């Protein structure tokens, strides 16, 4: 065997050793990456963790029939590792249908595991409708609670159209079809139709609160005049059970058999689309949901509540009289 053949054999062996080291390094890197992903997805601080946890869900802004939130609540109900739930509510209310849907989803969770509502700044109208679905309600002393009631709002632009010379005509199958209309004054008959709807949903709301709180229907109706209450007033009126924050909420869960010192895991909405750090919305969202995430939230909330919520609302509006 010539010297050149020996050198070639040595070179090949060195090349194989280098290739083997690279393969080992690649496998180790892949295992670390997979481990990191698994830890992120199913580690102790994640929704999918197999370890026992307390699920925290934030319900903020204007209430609508939020399919993403309803899906999260449904998954929480069926996740065995979730031993208790904290609902963090900070909402002036919204549509009565949205409040009803979320209320029902929370009750499905409560059939399987304890649920406590922790009121932040505000839990009014449909926000309070959701809070009463919990087994226990905690509020700060200065939280705003209540505004039990419903309303229907609609604009009247007739005078504005007259000023610019526009007139709206319609052919209808019956006088009450599509009434009240923003293009003509509301008649007593049209107003009576809406009054019957509002009264019916109001009675349902009152009955819901009376069923879930230690109050009679008459006591609830006395409180359900659209008034809001501080946390201190709310506990005196039996609208909440205790004063405090997350610590008080978790303490109550522990009193119901939830293991002490469990990780509190926030179940968040789907990943948001962002541009220059500004959240623009999430997959499957409509324009109303995006408005909640505008960088000017007060303007977005006002515009959404005043102009874009269809149907009967249970919403607290300080600028308006009533609930």
């Amino acid at each position: 065997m010539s010297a050149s053949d020996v050198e070639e054999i040595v070179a090949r062996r060195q090349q194989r050793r280098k290739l083997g080291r690279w393969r080992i390094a690649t496998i180790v890197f892949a295992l670390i990456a997979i481990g990191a992903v698994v830890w992120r997805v199913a580690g102790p601080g994640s929704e999918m963790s197999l370890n026992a946890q307390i699920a925290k869900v934030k319900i903020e802004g204007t209430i609508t029939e939020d399919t993403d939130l309803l899906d999260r609540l449904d998954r929480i109900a069926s996740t065995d590792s979730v031993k208790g739930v904290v609902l963090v509510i900070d909402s002036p209310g919204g549509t009565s249908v949205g409040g009803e849907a979320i209320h029902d989803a929370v009750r499905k969770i409560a059939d399987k595991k304890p649920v406590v509502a922790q009121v932040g700044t505000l839990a009014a109208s449909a926000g309070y409708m959701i809070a009463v679905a919990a087994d226990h309600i905690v509020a700060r002393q200065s939280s705003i609670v209540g505004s039990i009631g419903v309303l229907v709002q609609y604009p009247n632009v007739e005078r504005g159209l007259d000023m610019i010379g526009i007139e709206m005509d319609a052919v209808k199958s019956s006088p009450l079809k599509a009434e009240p209309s923003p293009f003509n004054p509301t008649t007593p008959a049209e107003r009576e139709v809406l009054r019957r709807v509002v009264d019916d949903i109001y009675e349902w709301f009152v009955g819901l609160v009376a069923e879930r709180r230690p109050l009679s229907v008459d006591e609830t109706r006395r409180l359900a005049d659209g008034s809001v209450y501080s946390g201190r007033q709310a506990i005196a009126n039996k609208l909440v059970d205790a004063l405090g924050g997350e610590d008080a909420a978790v303490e109550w869960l522990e009193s119901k058999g939830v293991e002490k010192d469990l990780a509190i895991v926030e179940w968040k909405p789907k990943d948001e689309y962002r541009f220059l750090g500004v959240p623009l919305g999430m997959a499957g969202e409509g324009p109303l949901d995006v408005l909640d995430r505008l960088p000017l939230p007060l303007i977005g909330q006002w515009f959404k509540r005043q102009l874009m919520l269809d149907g009967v609302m249970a919403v607290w509006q300080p600028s308006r009289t009533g609930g």
Side-chain angles (χ1 to χ4, degrees), residues 142-159:
S142 57
S143 296
I144 300 297
V145 179
S147 187
I148 301 168
V150 297
L151 73 158
V152 174
Q153 289 181 318
Y154 48 92
N156 188 312
V157 299
E158 183 183 25
R159 290 179 59 187

Side-chain angles (χ1 to χ4, degrees), residues 146-208:
S147 187
I148 301 168
V150 297
L151 73 158
V152 174
Q153 289 181 318
Y154 48 92
N156 188 312
V157 299
E158 183 183 25
R159 290 179 59 187
L161 293 179
D162 286 343
M163 291 176 63
I164 58 177
I166 297 177
E167 182 177 333
M168 294 293 296
D169 283 329
V171 176
K172 302 190 293 183
S173 59
S174 57
L176 295 177
K177 177 63 180 174
E179 296 293 347
S181 167
F183 307 117
N184 50 259
T186 303
T187 67
E190 294 161 3
R191 191 175 297 275
E192 179 58 26
V193 169
L194 289 183
R195 168 53 58 190
R196 291 198 299 267
V197 171
V198 167
D199 287 349
D200 183 67
I201 297 176
Y202 170 76
E203 290 298 324
W204 168 79
F205 194 175
V206 167
L208 190 70

Side-chain angles (χ1 to χ4, degrees), residues 111-142:
D111 287 340
K112 302 178 180 180
K113 54 200 76 180
V115 181
V116 56
Q118 176 201 338
V119 179
T121 302
L122 180 64
S125 296
Y128 185 69
M129 186 187 297
I130 295 168
V132 299
D135 303 310
H136 190 76
I137 304 176
V138 176
R140 297 285 187 185
Q141 297 190 60
S142 57

Side-chain angles (χ1 to χ4, degrees), residues 109-314:
I109 298 175
D111 287 340
K112 302 178 180 180
K113 54 200 76 180
V115 181
V116 56
Q118 176 201 338
V119 179
T121 302
L122 180 64
S125 296
Y128 185 69
M129 186 187 297
I130 295 168
V132 299
D135 303 310
H136 190 76
I137 304 176
V138 176
R140 297 285 187 185
Q141 297 190 60
S142 57
S143 296
I144 300 297
V145 179
S147 187
I148 301 168
V150 297
L151 73 158
V152 174
Q153 289 181 318
Y154 48 92
N156 188 312
V157 299
E158 183 183 25
R159 290 179 59 187
L161 293 179
D162 286 343
M163 291 176 63
I164 58 177
I166 297 177
E167 182 177 333
M168 294 293 296
D169 283 329
V171 176
K172 302 190 293 183
S173 59
S174 57
L176 295 177
K177 177 63 180 174
E179 296 293 347
S181 167
F183 307 117
N184 50 259
T186 303
T187 67
E190 294 161 3
R191 191 175 297 275
E192 179 58 26
V193 169
L194 289 183
R195 168 53 58 190
R196 291 198 299 267
V197 171
V198 167
D199 287 349
D200 183 67
I201 297 176
Y202 170 76
E203 290 298 324
W204 168 79
F205 194 175
V206 167
L208 190 70
V209 174
E211 177 186 344
R212 296 294 308 148
R213 301 301 305 164
L215 295 164
S216 68
V217 172
D218 288 340
E219 289 173 323
T220 303
R221 189 173 286 110
R222 177 178 59 82
L223 297 169
D225 61 356
S227 298
V228 291
Y229 305 90
S230 69
R232 288 157 53 89
Q233 293 172 322
I235 197 168
N237 285 307
K238 302 179 183 179
L239 294 174
V240 304
D241 299 294
L243 298 176
E246 185 173 286
D247 289 347
V250 172
E251 184 178 341
W252 179 84
L253 290 176
E254 291 172 354
S255 74
K256 293 300 177 181
V258 175
E259 186 179 342
K260 190 177 179 63
D261 297 327
L262 288 185
I264 300 174
V265 180
E266 183 179 347
W267 287 53
K268 298 180 180 180
K270 299 171 185 175
D271 291 338
E272 296 177 335
Y273 296 126
R274 289 177 174 266
F275 179 72
L276 299 178
V278 177
L280 299 179
M282 300 180 297
E285 281 191 325
L288 300 188
D289 302 298
V290 175
L291 277 175
D292 273 337
R293 295 172 173 81
L294 289 175
L296 297 177
L298 292 179
I299 294 176
Q301 290 289 332
W302 180 90
F303 182 73
K304 179 176 176 179
R305 290 202 308 269
Q306 300 288 342
L307 302 180
M308 299 182 69
L309 282 179
D310 295 327
V312 177
M313 293 180 284

